[in-house]
Amino acid sequence: MPLSEQEQRLLDEMERHLMSNDADVVTAPSRALSYRNIVLGSILVLAGLGALIAGVSIGFNTGVLGIAVGVVGFLVMVGGVVFAVTPTRNSSRLPSARSASTKRSARASGGSFMDRMNDRWDRRNDGH
């Protein structure tokens, strides 16, 4: 069922308002995690867990040394988690930081996924 003229006008106005006021939401960069960081962080977490367990078992016999090994193990575990969930530097670049030639080549090859979807939506709605 097609939209009435008033509904279509209201929808167009809402879309323009969204695109003009919330452009930062629309163009927000995705923060991709690196598989390399996840694997290395997981290894650090496991090594820290091993050191923590070793520190607890040593702590029953020696006291201070066991506590120190346990604390270091815990810090290695926390560092591993932080390292695993930290996004890579190049994935946090803003799209506006791309060069003009990169933008031109993206347009020439069909543009971004969202641009193609918007064009498809517009073509679909023009036919109705």
Side-chain angles (χ1 to χ4, degrees):
M1 182 167 142
L3 296 174
S4 69
E5 238 179 84
Q6 180 184 5
E7 290 171 334
Q8 185 65 42
R9 207 172 340 111
L10 182 61
L11 182 63
D12 291 339
E13 182 182 335
M14 288 169 53
E15 183 179 351
R16 280 192 307 273
H17 180 71
L18 176 67
M19 293 301 270
S20 66
N21 291 340
D22 294 337
D24 56 337
V25 173
V26 173
T27 60
S30 63
R31 296 184 61 132
L33 296 177
S34 167
Y35 289 114
R36 181 181 146 271
N37 287 3
I38 293 172
V39 169
L40 291 177
S42 299
I43 291 170
L44 283 174
V45 167
L46 291 175
L49 182 63
L52 182 65
I53 292 171
V56 168
S57 63
I58 292 171
F60 288 128
N61 297 329
T62 61
V64 177
L65 178 64
I67 292 173
V69 171
V71 168
V72 168
F74 179 75
L75 292 175
V76 169
M77 285 175 52
V78 171
V81 169
V82 169
F83 186 75
V85 300
T86 302
T88 57
R89 288 183 188 162
N90 58 0
S91 68
S92 63
R93 284 180 29 191
L94 292 173
S96 61
R98 295 189 306 179
S99 67
S101 63
T102 307
K103 289 180 185 177
R104 271 188 249 114
S105 66
R107 283 190 199 121
S109 66
S112 72
F113 174 76
M114 288 305 295
D115 290 339
R116 290 192 311 267
M117 289 291 105
N118 286 333
D119 291 342
R120 204 173 183 187
W121 178 261
D122 291 340
R123 283 193 312 266
R124 180 175 167 251
N125 285 337
D126 289 342
H128 286 36

